[in-house]
Amino acid sequence: MKKPFILFGFMMNVVGHLSAGLWRHPDDQATRYTDINYWISLARLLDDAGFDALFLADALGQLDVYQQLPDAALRGAAQMPVNDPLLLVSALAAATRHLGFGITVSTTYEQPYLLARKFTTLDHLSNGRVAWNIVTSMLDSAARNLGMTQQIPHDERYARAQEFVDVTCKLWEGSWEADAVTRDKLAGIYSNPQKVHAIGHHGRYYQVPDAHLSEPSPQRTPVLFQAGTSARGSLFAAVNAEVVFMAGLTPQAIRTDINTLRQLAAEQGRDPASLRFIAAVTVVTGADDRDAQARYQAFQQYISQDAALALFSAWTGVDWSAFDLDRPLEYIETEACRSALASLTRIDSGRQWTLREAADTIGIGGLHPTLVGGPQAIADQLEQFAEEAGVDGFNIGYAISPGSFEDFVRYVVPVLKARGRMAERPAHPLTLRERLFGAGQRHLPADHPASHFRRPS
Amino acid sequence: MKKPFILFGFMMNVVGHLSAGLWRHPDDQATRYTDINYWISLARLLDDAGFDALFLADALGQLDVYQQLPDAALRGAAQMPVNDPLLLVSALAAATRHLGFGITVSTTYEQPYLLARKFTTLDHLSNGRVAWNIVTSMLDSAARNLGMTQQIPHDERYARAQEFVDVTCKLWEGSWEADAVTRDKLAGIYSNPQKVHAIGHHGRYYQVPDAHLSEPSPQRTPVLFQAGTSARGSLFAAVNAEVVFMAGLTPQAIRTDINTLRQLAAEQGRDPASLRFIAAVTVVTGADDRDAQARYQAFQQYISQDAALALFSAWTGVDWSAFDLDRPLEYIETEACRSALASLTRIDSGRQWTLREAADTIGIGGLHPTLVGGPQAIADQLEQFAEEAGVDGFNIGYAISPGSFEDFVRYVVPVLKARGRMAERPAHPLTLRERLFGAGQRHLPADHPASHFRRPS
């Protein structure tokens, strides 16, 4: 019996997420992103099909590295406008039974005391179906609108992030004992104050002396997601993450990173086998290979080079408007450009990349692989990718929304089911952590560092 | 024809809001506050009955003035645990058509750049049905968990709050022009960068140079609510608020405050008649006066003195555990105690208040009037109160939830309808601002100071 894949739908509260300009496709409905019914339909589609979660990315600033202006992003709806992802969740939780919600929130611009309450609130309202994708924010445009004259340096961001996560986990795990809430109408005791503990956190960045404002939710701590491939980001993931979102492009590169992360996790005293890894892929499929190819070619007609370069500039920190579109990129000799070229080379190492080719490739699915093929071919590619990379599943991006998800559900899901790659639907809804790690695993496992914040019972 | 009342349901994302210990009543379901279906049912009840909005209070700290501990609040579920109100809204908006949502958010612990995005997101998802109840946070317990060694002094809180509101209004009103978003699939232009403006805010407390991250929502600026009776709070309300929530207890006291506020608003260049005023009342009703009195007496059995004093201590800043329960309060000679006594005297000036009597009175409805009577008697009292106080409507609190709202809808709403005190249900949903101020009034009126942030068209 093969192991079922973890499957997430990969979205953002925007018109254009990873595919640049595709909102112009006649079938794309992402311009309805401000309509709650658009999101409810999507969440139900994913829930009914057996997806594990909707993964919501976020950014807290405009994309303005390209031409040093937000203009290309605005024209092409490249992650701008961008609305808040957390505020979608209660509506989507109410409309679904099983689907989890992985929501991206940065540790840099929130107070841990209040963010802890937000996730507890949503974990209650969703019956334990939320995950926190922990990020530290990379955009200068966010920093300068949020009270900082410039970015906090990368490594210090992670030091703050670690203390931030520690504070939230102290609130989630170490404040209210399991039997603190009695709801005893006769005795007149809702919570027993002897079992609600002030966390007494006095750290370098945060002071949080008191108890958590919220009573424990089904999972207490939301499932902790993290994406990080820098050295400091990897250590952070190895310490904190239960699910790691791998951004490396080739299966081989991902496998290398996963090995490193498992090793680091083991050094932290964690069971390295307990970590789950997912990779992002965009899937273009259809009734058969030919149909899929036809759709892919149709999608390509709608790629916006302008929007793709706005995304590529934001992701790499390089203003690509300064460079020749048709010259192979090797001539550029800055560190940032070399790093960007390395990302492209992971897509295809056998060719010389020009900026135009980069934009064309990024245009569908961003800096993640795009798989094209009929149902069997996609299932083959996913299985091969998972095997080679050692990932447990996929964050499925879209070319058009909800069309790409509808196609995936219609064509690919039945094949994955037939191959034992879709988990059986549980009789009763599970928490997201149980869904990902097995029945009974509602709370952080005992080998997770944050479990030390629990009080002995 | 009489003017319809503005009617809000007054709640908080807690077990116990204003009534102390009433969660122990056999019919009370507020212990279900973590269940999204509890909230959806309540919102539908209010929506179907013709309420204008659900008003959600909030607090960002535990109530620990009484005995200098959170224990009484925890035992009696007195506003603790307390979950996030903003995160309820998308589910409730999706489940209703007309109901507005007034959500309390403090200006003290958020970044205006991100709060603006939150309200824009919710205004989109609700089709223009959100209001922001602007508060500055009064709890020391919030301050010390949110990175401050102590409260920001009261007047400085308001100076920060004004700059905060200015920044958000610049983002809402002055950043994206009305025709900035074209969604032009053929031209490939989602937004026209020439019409999306950086706000260039460089103030004393906040630096927000860039454009709003979100495109304009139906109302752009959420309806602005404020409750403030201090001198600085009144000025803040006169400058900013479209709806003012009056906390004074007697109609006469409220009328005096309203006159002051209208005068202050006029001095700011605003039409003083354009402000709307609402008062909080808790209604205990039944089939007739006798039934209502019986319910009231039953409710009184469940008042928790302990929880009532936890609330009273938090609201007044006085630790009432230090004082005699049965001695008339006049003997206490601190400023805070005199102020608290003044509040009580507004409830009933003809008696000497002891602490025990204060707790018994606060126990149902807090420091707001509680009206008890059959349908006609309640309608009479509401009309008389509105007439004497000069308010436009009411924020209806509960003794038990949803029972108090069910009783109000069943018994009082039909009488209010018959008397022309309930607005006709519009054929098509309106924005909350239109509902409160008339069709066509989707945006801030031209005499509101923040309308100056608009760009000339």
Side-chain angles (χ1 to χ4, degrees):
Chain A
M1 182 69 180
K2 290 175 181 175
K3 225 175 79 185
F5 288 141
I6 294 171
L7 280 187
F8 295 165
F10 191 17
M11 304 192 73
M12 190 169 175
N13 196 350
V14 293
V15 177
H17 179 203
L18 295 171
S19 297
L22 271 286
W23 65 275
R24 298 175 300 164
H25 189 287
D27 293 340
D28 189 76
Q29 296 182 34
T31 54
R32 290 180 55 217
Y33 77 109
T34 56
D35 177 356
I36 191 64
N37 294 312
Y38 164 77
W39 289 100
I40 286 174
S41 299
L42 262 162
R44 285 186 172 149
L45 175 74
L46 299 179
D47 196 33
D48 292 344
F51 274 71
D52 295 284
L54 171 64
F55 185 107
L56 290 165
D58 194 20
L60 299 179
Q62 62 190 18
L63 304 195
D64 58 8
V65 175
Y66 184 64
Q67 300 172 323
Q68 299 172 54
L69 287 170
D71 295 18
L74 284 164
R75 279 191 299 268
Q79 301 191 359
M80 177 155 186
V82 52
N83 283 349
D84 190 292
L86 216 53
L87 295 169
L88 289 169
V89 175
S90 70
L92 307 188
T96 53
R97 284 194 77 205
H98 301 274
L99 191 69
F101 302 94
I103 314 122
T104 301
V105 182
S106 171
T107 56
T108 306
Y109 308 111
E110 292 258 355
Q111 290 284 344
Y113 188 61
L114 295 184
L115 187 69
R117 188 176 77 145
K118 290 178 190 181
F119 272 104
T120 300
T121 300
L122 288 179
D123 202 51
H124 277 300
L125 296 176
S126 66
N127 292 315
R129 290 188 278 144
V130 296
W132 173 22
N133 180 40
I134 309 166
V135 299
T136 61
S137 300
M138 63 171 188
L139 297 172
D140 285 333
S141 56
R144 72 170 171 265
N145 288 287
L146 291 161
M148 301 184 188
T149 49
Q150 57 181 6
Q151 281 274 27
I152 300 171
H154 181 271
D155 281 12
E156 191 190 333
R157 284 211 312 277
Y158 274 103
R160 283 173 64 116
Q162 188 59 59
E163 189 181 329
F164 190 113
V165 172
D166 287 348
V167 173
T168 55
C169 287
K170 285 181 184 181
L171 291 166
W172 288 322
E173 299 291 329
S175 184
W176 294 60
E177 292 187 43
D179 55 354
V181 179
T182 56
R183 296 184 194 86
D184 185 337
K185 289 196 174 194
L186 291 179
I189 308 286
Y190 187 83
S191 333
N192 178 351
Q194 306 309 315
K195 300 191 177 216
V196 180
H197 305 279
I199 64 167
H201 180 88
H202 299 283
R204 178 162 169 207
Y205 301 105
Y206 301 105
Q207 307 297 318
V208 181
D210 291 337
H212 191 23
L213 289 172
S214 302
E215 63 180 287
S217 63
Q219 300 186 118
R220 285 186 171 258
T221 299
V223 182
L224 300 176
F225 291 178
Q226 210 248 334
T229 47
S230 67
R232 189 65 187 82
S234 294
L235 179 59
F236 186 85
V239 172
N240 301 291
E242 301 176 81
V243 177
V244 186
F245 177 29
M246 306 304 294
L249 273 161
T250 64
Q252 294 72 25
I254 290 173
R255 177 170 283 278
T256 303
D257 287 351
I258 288 177
N259 287 340
T260 305
L261 277 165
R262 288 205 201 272
Q263 177 64 33
L264 284 168
E267 289 166 13
Q268 301 294 321
R270 300 180 65 189
D271 172 7
S274 72
L275 278 71
R276 297 283 181 275
F277 295 90
I278 58 164
V281 295
T282 299
V283 171
V284 179
T285 189
D288 54 29
D289 288 348
R290 195 170 151 180
D291 186 30
Q293 285 295 343
R295 283 169 201 244
Y296 186 55
Q297 281 164 30
F299 291 156
Q300 287 176 309
Q301 309 299 311
Y302 293 95
I303 292 172
S304 157
Q305 185 185 81
D306 195 42
L309 292 175
L311 290 168
F312 192 44
S313 293
W315 293 331
T316 57
V318 176
D319 175 4
W320 293 103
S321 70
F323 299 99
D324 189 323
L325 274 172
D326 292 305
R327 201 167 154 195
L329 289 170
E330 280 79 0
Y331 78 99
I332 306 172
E333 304 220 323
T334 70
E335 182 57 41
C337 292
R338 269 194 294 270
S339 159
L341 187 57
S343 297
L344 292 168
T345 306
R346 283 175 158 195
I347 301 179
D348 186 348
S349 60
R351 75 202 237 197
Q352 284 193 316
W353 284 90
T354 65
L355 207 49
R356 190 184 303 278
E357 290 165 334
D360 284 348
T361 301
I362 291 165
I364 296 178
L367 282 171
H368 304 289
T370 296
L371 312 183
V372 183
Q376 300 292 341
I378 293 293
D380 289 347
Q381 291 180 67
L382 290 173
E383 289 195 317
Q384 189 186 341
F385 192 111
E387 179 71 24
E388 290 177 15
V391 296
D392 303 287
F394 298 95
N395 209 359
I396 306 287
Y398 63 93
I400 62 169
S401 173
S404 294
F405 295 111
E406 289 169 346
D407 290 343
F408 188 89
V409 169
R410 181 174 174 194
Y411 297 117
V412 181
V413 164
V415 178
L416 294 179
K417 273 196 177 136
R419 297 188 187 186
R421 292 299 193 177
M422 299 289 296
E424 293 291 320
R425 163 158 300 217
H428 301 288
L430 300 172
T431 64
L432 180 59
R433 189 175 277 108
E434 289 173 303
R435 187 157 175 155
L436 298 174
F437 297 94
Q441 299 275 325
R442 287 163 72 100
H443 298 141
L444 276 180
D447 65 342
H448 191 285
S451 71
H452 302 146
F453 297 136
R454 287 179 194 145
R455 305 182 66 88
S457 59
Chain B
M1 181 69 180
K2 291 175 179 174
K3 225 175 79 183
F5 288 142
I6 294 171
L7 280 187
F8 295 165
F10 190 19
M11 304 193 73
M12 190 167 175
N13 197 350
V14 293
V15 177
H17 179 204
L18 296 171
S19 298
L22 272 286
W23 65 274
R24 298 176 300 164
H25 190 286
D27 294 340
D28 189 75
Q29 296 181 34
T31 54
R32 292 179 55 217
Y33 78 107
T34 56
D35 177 354
I36 191 64
N37 293 312
Y38 164 77
W39 288 101
I40 287 174
S41 299
L42 261 161
R44 284 187 174 149
L45 174 74
L46 300 180
D47 196 32
D48 292 344
F51 274 70
D52 294 285
L54 172 63
F55 184 108
L56 290 166
D58 194 19
L60 300 180
Q62 62 190 18
L63 304 195
D64 58 8
V65 175
Y66 184 64
Q67 301 172 322
Q68 298 173 54
L69 288 169
D71 294 19
L74 284 164
R75 280 191 298 270
Q79 301 192 359
M80 177 154 187
V82 52
N83 283 348
D84 190 293
L86 216 52
L87 295 169
L88 290 169
V89 175
S90 70
L92 307 188
T96 54
R97 283 194 77 207
H98 301 274
L99 191 69
F101 301 94
I103 313 123
T104 302
V105 182
S106 171
T107 55
T108 305
Y109 308 111
E110 292 259 355
Q111 290 284 344
Y113 187 61
L114 295 184
L115 187 70
R117 189 177 76 146
K118 291 177 190 180
F119 272 103
T120 300
T121 300
L122 288 179
D123 202 52
H124 277 300
L125 296 176
S126 67
N127 292 315
R129 291 188 278 146
V130 296
W132 174 21
N133 181 41
I134 309 166
V135 299
T136 62
S137 301
M138 61 170 188
L139 297 173
D140 285 333
S141 56
R144 71 170 172 266
N145 288 288
L146 292 161
M148 301 185 189
T149 50
Q150 56 181 4
Q151 281 273 30
I152 300 171
H154 181 271
D155 282 9
E156 191 188 335
R157 283 212 312 276
Y158 274 103
R160 283 173 64 114
Q162 187 60 58
E163 188 180 329
F164 191 114
V165 173
D166 286 348
V167 173
T168 56
C169 288
K170 284 181 184 180
L171 292 165
W172 288 322
E173 299 291 330
S175 185
W176 293 61
E177 292 186 41
D179 55 352
V181 179
T182 55
R183 297 184 192 87
D184 186 336
K185 289 195 173 195
L186 291 180
I189 307 288
Y190 187 83
S191 333
N192 178 350
Q194 306 308 315
K195 301 194 174 211
V196 180
H197 305 279
I199 65 167
H201 180 87
H202 299 284
R204 179 161 167 206
Y205 301 104
Y206 301 105
Q207 308 296 319
V208 182
D210 291 337
H212 191 22
L213 288 172
S214 302
E215 63 180 284
S217 62
Q219 300 186 118
R220 285 184 171 260
T221 299
V223 182
L224 300 175
F225 290 179
Q226 210 249 332
T229 47
S230 68
R232 189 65 187 83
S234 294
L235 178 60
F236 185 85
V239 172
N240 301 292
E242 301 177 80
V243 177
V244 186
F245 178 28
M246 306 303 295
L249 274 162
T250 63
Q252 294 72 24
I254 290 173
R255 177 170 283 279
T256 304
D257 286 351
I258 288 177
N259 286 339
T260 305
L261 277 165
R262 288 205 201 272
Q263 176 65 32
L264 285 168
E267 288 166 13
Q268 300 294 321
R270 299 179 67 190
D271 173 6
S274 72
L275 277 70
R276 298 283 181 274
F277 295 90
I278 59 164
V281 294
T282 298
V283 172
V284 179
T285 190
D288 53 29
D289 287 347
R290 196 170 151 179
D291 186 30
Q293 285 295 343
R295 284 168 201 245
Y296 186 54
Q297 281 164 30
F299 290 156
Q300 286 176 311
Q301 310 298 311
Y302 294 95
I303 292 173
S304 157
Q305 186 185 80
D306 195 43
L309 292 176
L311 291 169
F312 192 43
S313 293
W315 292 332
T316 57
V318 177
D319 176 4
W320 293 103
S321 70
F323 299 100
D324 190 323
L325 274 171
D326 292 306
R327 198 167 157 196
L329 289 170
E330 280 80 1
Y331 78 98
I332 306 171
E333 303 220 323
T334 70
E335 182 57 40
C337 292
R338 270 194 292 271
S339 159
L341 186 58
S343 297
L344 292 169
T345 306
R346 283 177 160 195
I347 300 180
D348 185 348
S349 59
R351 77 203 235 194
Q352 282 191 318
W353 284 90
T354 65
L355 207 48
R356 189 184 304 279
E357 291 166 333
D360 284 349
T361 301
I362 290 164
I364 296 178
L367 282 171
H368 304 289
T370 295
L371 313 183
V372 183
Q376 299 293 341
I378 294 293
D380 289 347
Q381 290 180 67
L382 290 173
E383 289 195 317
Q384 189 185 342
F385 192 112
E387 178 71 25
E388 289 177 16
V391 295
D392 303 286
F394 298 95
N395 208 0
I396 306 288
Y398 64 93
I400 61 169
S401 173
S404 295
F405 294 111
E406 289 169 345
D407 290 343
F408 188 89
V409 169
R410 181 174 174 194
Y411 297 116
V412 181
V413 164
V415 180
L416 294 178
K417 273 197 179 140
R419 296 188 187 186
R421 292 298 193 177
M422 298 289 295
E424 293 290 321
R425 165 159 297 219
H428 302 288
L430 300 172
T431 63
L432 180 57
R433 188 174 278 109
E434 289 173 303
R435 187 157 174 156
L436 298 174
F437 296 95
Q441 300 275 325
R442 288 163 73 99
H443 298 141
L444 276 179
D447 65 341
H448 191 286
S451 71
H452 302 146
F453 297 135
R454 287 181 194 144
R455 304 181 66 88
S457 57

PDB file of all heavy atoms in Angstrom, chain A residues 81, chain B residues 176-184 189-192 195-196 215-216:
ATOM      1  N   PRO A  81      -3.290  44.341  -5.740  1.00  0.00           N
ATOM      2  CA  PRO A  81      -3.663  44.392  -4.326  1.00  0.00           C
ATOM      3  C   PRO A  81      -3.565  43.038  -3.623  1.00  0.00           C
ATOM      4  O   PRO A  81      -3.703  41.998  -4.248  1.00  0.00           O
ATOM      5  CB  PRO A  81      -5.104  44.900  -4.356  1.00  0.00           C
ATOM      6  CG  PRO A  81      -5.618  44.556  -5.709  1.00  0.00           C
ATOM      7  CD  PRO A  81      -4.424  44.687  -6.613  1.00  0.00           C
TER       8      PRO A  81
ATOM      9  N   TRP B 176      -6.105  55.001  -3.498  1.00  0.00           N
ATOM     10  CA  TRP B 176      -6.592  54.467  -4.772  1.00  0.00           C
ATOM     11  C   TRP B 176      -7.749  55.326  -5.271  1.00  0.00           C
ATOM     12  O   TRP B 176      -8.778  55.438  -4.615  1.00  0.00           O
ATOM     13  CB  TRP B 176      -7.091  53.023  -4.598  1.00  0.00           C
ATOM     14  CG  TRP B 176      -6.024  52.021  -4.259  1.00  0.00           C
ATOM     15  CD1 TRP B 176      -5.226  52.026  -3.157  1.00  0.00           C
ATOM     16  CD2 TRP B 176      -5.652  50.859  -5.022  1.00  0.00           C
ATOM     17  NE1 TRP B 176      -4.377  50.934  -3.175  1.00  0.00           N
ATOM     18  CE2 TRP B 176      -4.625  50.201  -4.311  1.00  0.00           C
ATOM     19  CE3 TRP B 176      -6.105  50.307  -6.225  1.00  0.00           C
ATOM     20  CZ2 TRP B 176      -4.028  49.028  -4.770  1.00  0.00           C
ATOM     21  CZ3 TRP B 176      -5.518  49.135  -6.682  1.00  0.00           C
ATOM     22  CH2 TRP B 176      -4.483  48.507  -5.961  1.00  0.00           C
ATOM     23  N   GLU B 177      -7.588  55.912  -6.445  1.00  0.00           N
ATOM     24  CA  GLU B 177      -8.693  56.685  -7.014  1.00  0.00           C
ATOM     25  C   GLU B 177      -9.841  55.756  -7.397  1.00  0.00           C
ATOM     26  O   GLU B 177      -9.667  54.548  -7.548  1.00  0.00           O
ATOM     27  CB  GLU B 177      -8.214  57.467  -8.243  1.00  0.00           C
ATOM     28  CG  GLU B 177      -7.228  58.565  -7.882  1.00  0.00           C
ATOM     29  CD  GLU B 177      -6.874  59.434  -9.083  1.00  0.00           C
ATOM     30  OE1 GLU B 177      -7.775  59.773  -9.887  1.00  0.00           O
ATOM     31  OE2 GLU B 177      -5.686  59.771  -9.223  1.00  0.00           O
ATOM     32  N   ALA B 178     -11.012  56.380  -7.579  1.00  0.00           N
ATOM     33  CA  ALA B 178     -12.225  55.596  -7.830  1.00  0.00           C
ATOM     34  C   ALA B 178     -12.098  54.740  -9.086  1.00  0.00           C
ATOM     35  O   ALA B 178     -12.638  53.628  -9.148  1.00  0.00           O
ATOM     36  CB  ALA B 178     -13.431  56.520  -7.953  1.00  0.00           C
ATOM     37  N   ASP B 179     -11.370  55.246 -10.079  1.00  0.00           N
ATOM     38  CA  ASP B 179     -11.252  54.483 -11.330  1.00  0.00           C
ATOM     39  C   ASP B 179      -9.865  53.861 -11.485  1.00  0.00           C
ATOM     40  O   ASP B 179      -9.430  53.564 -12.592  1.00  0.00           O
ATOM     41  CB  ASP B 179     -11.598  55.373 -12.534  1.00  0.00           C
ATOM     42  CG  ASP B 179     -10.752  56.642 -12.563  1.00  0.00           C
ATOM     43  OD1 ASP B 179     -10.008  56.888 -11.569  1.00  0.00           O
ATOM     44  OD2 ASP B 179     -10.827  57.376 -13.553  1.00  0.00           O
ATOM     45  N   ALA B 180      -9.180  53.646 -10.368  1.00  0.00           N
ATOM     46  CA  ALA B 180      -7.833  53.055 -10.441  1.00  0.00           C
ATOM     47  C   ALA B 180      -7.883  51.597 -10.890  1.00  0.00           C
ATOM     48  O   ALA B 180      -7.003  51.121 -11.595  1.00  0.00           O
ATOM     49  CB  ALA B 180      -7.141  53.152  -9.082  1.00  0.00           C
ATOM     50  N   VAL B 181      -8.920  50.885 -10.462  1.00  0.00           N
ATOM     51  CA  VAL B 181      -9.013  49.456 -10.787  1.00  0.00           C
ATOM     52  C   VAL B 181      -9.900  49.289 -12.012  1.00  0.00           C
ATOM     53  O   VAL B 181     -11.093  49.597 -11.976  1.00  0.00           O
ATOM     54  CB  VAL B 181      -9.592  48.659  -9.599  1.00  0.00           C
ATOM     55  CG1 VAL B 181      -9.719  47.189  -9.956  1.00  0.00           C
ATOM     56  CG2 VAL B 181      -8.695  48.831  -8.368  1.00  0.00           C
ATOM     57  N   THR B 182      -9.292  48.826 -13.093  1.00  0.00           N
ATOM     58  CA  THR B 182     -10.038  48.702 -14.354  1.00  0.00           C
ATOM     59  C   THR B 182     -10.328  47.241 -14.688  1.00  0.00           C
ATOM     60  O   THR B 182     -11.240  46.963 -15.445  1.00  0.00           O
ATOM     61  CB  THR B 182      -9.250  49.329 -15.514  1.00  0.00           C
ATOM     62  OG1 THR B 182      -7.953  48.718 -15.553  1.00  0.00           O
ATOM     63  CG2 THR B 182      -9.097  50.826 -15.301  1.00  0.00           C
ATOM     64  N   ARG B 183      -9.553  46.312 -14.147  1.00  0.00           N
ATOM     65  CA  ARG B 183      -9.734  44.879 -14.418  1.00  0.00           C
ATOM     66  C   ARG B 183      -9.877  44.620 -15.920  1.00  0.00           C
ATOM     67  O   ARG B 183     -10.704  43.822 -16.342  1.00  0.00           O
ATOM     68  CB  ARG B 183     -10.965  44.319 -13.686  1.00  0.00           C
ATOM     69  CG  ARG B 183     -10.888  44.389 -12.184  1.00  0.00           C
ATOM     70  CD  ARG B 183     -12.085  43.734 -11.506  1.00  0.00           C
ATOM     71  NE  ARG B 183     -12.113  44.074 -10.087  1.00  0.00           N
ATOM     72  CZ  ARG B 183     -12.689  45.166  -9.582  1.00  0.00           C
ATOM     73  NH1 ARG B 183     -13.305  46.009 -10.377  1.00  0.00           N
ATOM     74  NH2 ARG B 183     -12.637  45.408  -8.298  1.00  0.00           N
ATOM     75  N   ASP B 184      -9.071  45.295 -16.705  1.00  0.00           N
ATOM     76  CA  ASP B 184      -9.205  45.255 -18.165  1.00  0.00           C
ATOM     77  C   ASP B 184      -8.393  44.081 -18.705  1.00  0.00           C
ATOM     78  O   ASP B 184      -7.182  44.156 -18.859  1.00  0.00           O
ATOM     79  CB  ASP B 184      -8.723  46.586 -18.739  1.00  0.00           C
ATOM     80  CG  ASP B 184      -8.968  46.700 -20.233  1.00  0.00           C
ATOM     81  OD1 ASP B 184      -9.082  45.639 -20.911  1.00  0.00           O
ATOM     82  OD2 ASP B 184      -9.040  47.833 -20.720  1.00  0.00           O
ATOM     83  N   ILE B 189      -4.496  45.431 -18.003  1.00  0.00           N
ATOM     84  CA  ILE B 189      -4.312  46.372 -16.893  1.00  0.00           C
ATOM     85  C   ILE B 189      -5.318  46.050 -15.793  1.00  0.00           C
ATOM     86  O   ILE B 189      -6.523  46.250 -15.975  1.00  0.00           O
ATOM     87  CB  ILE B 189      -4.547  47.838 -17.340  1.00  0.00           C
ATOM     88  CG1 ILE B 189      -3.702  48.207 -18.553  1.00  0.00           C
ATOM     89  CG2 ILE B 189      -4.279  48.790 -16.164  1.00  0.00           C
ATOM     90  CD1 ILE B 189      -2.236  48.373 -18.277  1.00  0.00           C
ATOM     91  N   TYR B 190      -4.835  45.557 -14.667  1.00  0.00           N
ATOM     92  CA  TYR B 190      -5.729  45.365 -13.539  1.00  0.00           C
ATOM     93  C   TYR B 190      -5.928  46.692 -12.805  1.00  0.00           C
ATOM     94  O   TYR B 190      -7.050  47.131 -12.618  1.00  0.00           O
ATOM     95  CB  TYR B 190      -5.194  44.292 -12.573  1.00  0.00           C
ATOM     96  CG  TYR B 190      -6.222  43.988 -11.508  1.00  0.00           C
ATOM     97  CD1 TYR B 190      -7.261  43.096 -11.758  1.00  0.00           C
ATOM     98  CD2 TYR B 190      -6.187  44.629 -10.277  1.00  0.00           C
ATOM     99  CE1 TYR B 190      -8.240  42.850 -10.804  1.00  0.00           C
ATOM    100  CE2 TYR B 190      -7.167  44.390  -9.324  1.00  0.00           C
ATOM    101  CZ  TYR B 190      -8.190  43.502  -9.587  1.00  0.00           C
ATOM    102  OH  TYR B 190      -9.160  43.272  -8.648  1.00  0.00           O
ATOM    103  N   SER B 191      -4.840  47.323 -12.402  1.00  0.00           N
ATOM    104  CA  SER B 191      -4.952  48.657 -11.806  1.00  0.00           C
ATOM    105  C   SER B 191      -4.047  49.605 -12.569  1.00  0.00           C
ATOM    106  O   SER B 191      -2.970  49.215 -13.022  1.00  0.00           O
ATOM    107  CB  SER B 191      -4.512  48.692 -10.339  1.00  0.00           C
ATOM    108  OG  SER B 191      -4.654  47.472  -9.692  1.00  0.00           O
ATOM    109  N   ASN B 192      -4.461  50.837 -12.625  1.00  0.00           N
ATOM    110  CA  ASN B 192      -3.683  51.865 -13.308  1.00  0.00           C
ATOM    111  C   ASN B 192      -2.759  52.539 -12.294  1.00  0.00           C
ATOM    112  O   ASN B 192      -3.214  53.255 -11.408  1.00  0.00           O
ATOM    113  CB  ASN B 192      -4.654  52.895 -13.901  1.00  0.00           C
ATOM    114  CG  ASN B 192      -3.929  54.033 -14.587  1.00  0.00           C
ATOM    115  OD1 ASN B 192      -2.708  54.162 -14.480  1.00  0.00           O
ATOM    116  ND2 ASN B 192      -4.687  54.861 -15.284  1.00  0.00           N
ATOM    117  N   LYS B 195      -3.046  56.011 -10.941  1.00  0.00           N
ATOM    118  CA  LYS B 195      -4.164  56.362 -10.063  1.00  0.00           C
ATOM    119  C   LYS B 195      -4.091  55.674  -8.699  1.00  0.00           C
ATOM    120  O   LYS B 195      -5.056  55.672  -7.944  1.00  0.00           O
ATOM    121  CB  LYS B 195      -5.485  56.011 -10.759  1.00  0.00           C
ATOM    122  CG  LYS B 195      -5.608  56.763 -12.081  1.00  0.00           C
ATOM    123  CD  LYS B 195      -6.990  56.741 -12.649  1.00  0.00           C
ATOM    124  CE  LYS B 195      -7.026  57.642 -13.887  1.00  0.00           C
ATOM    125  NZ  LYS B 195      -8.327  58.259 -14.086  1.00  0.00           N
ATOM    126  N   VAL B 196      -2.952  55.079  -8.437  1.00  0.00           N
ATOM    127  CA  VAL B 196      -2.721  54.486  -7.106  1.00  0.00           C
ATOM    128  C   VAL B 196      -1.589  55.276  -6.461  1.00  0.00           C
ATOM    129  O   VAL B 196      -0.450  55.220  -6.928  1.00  0.00           O
ATOM    130  CB  VAL B 196      -2.360  52.988  -7.204  1.00  0.00           C
ATOM    131  CG1 VAL B 196      -2.133  52.403  -5.807  1.00  0.00           C
ATOM    132  CG2 VAL B 196      -3.457  52.222  -7.934  1.00  0.00           C
ATOM    133  N   GLU B 215      -7.229  47.225  -2.714  1.00  0.00           N
ATOM    134  CA  GLU B 215      -8.049  48.104  -3.540  1.00  0.00           C
ATOM    135  C   GLU B 215      -9.291  48.540  -2.757  1.00  0.00           C
ATOM    136  O   GLU B 215      -9.671  47.887  -1.784  1.00  0.00           O
ATOM    137  CB  GLU B 215      -8.447  47.396  -4.837  1.00  0.00           C
ATOM    138  CG  GLU B 215      -9.311  46.166  -4.646  1.00  0.00           C
ATOM    139  CD  GLU B 215      -9.662  45.503  -5.985  1.00  0.00           C
ATOM    140  OE1 GLU B 215     -10.523  46.039  -6.692  1.00  0.00           O
ATOM    141  OE2 GLU B 215      -9.063  44.457  -6.302  1.00  0.00           O
ATOM    142  N   PRO B 216      -9.927  49.645  -3.161  1.00  0.00           N
ATOM    143  CA  PRO B 216     -11.038  50.185  -2.357  1.00  0.00           C
ATOM    144  C   PRO B 216     -12.193  49.195  -2.228  1.00  0.00           C
ATOM    145  O   PRO B 216     -12.590  48.539  -3.175  1.00  0.00           O
ATOM    146  CB  PRO B 216     -11.479  51.420  -3.155  1.00  0.00           C
ATOM    147  CG  PRO B 216     -10.288  51.802  -3.962  1.00  0.00           C
ATOM    148  CD  PRO B 216      -9.590  50.514  -4.296  1.00  0.00           C
TER     149      PRO B 216
END
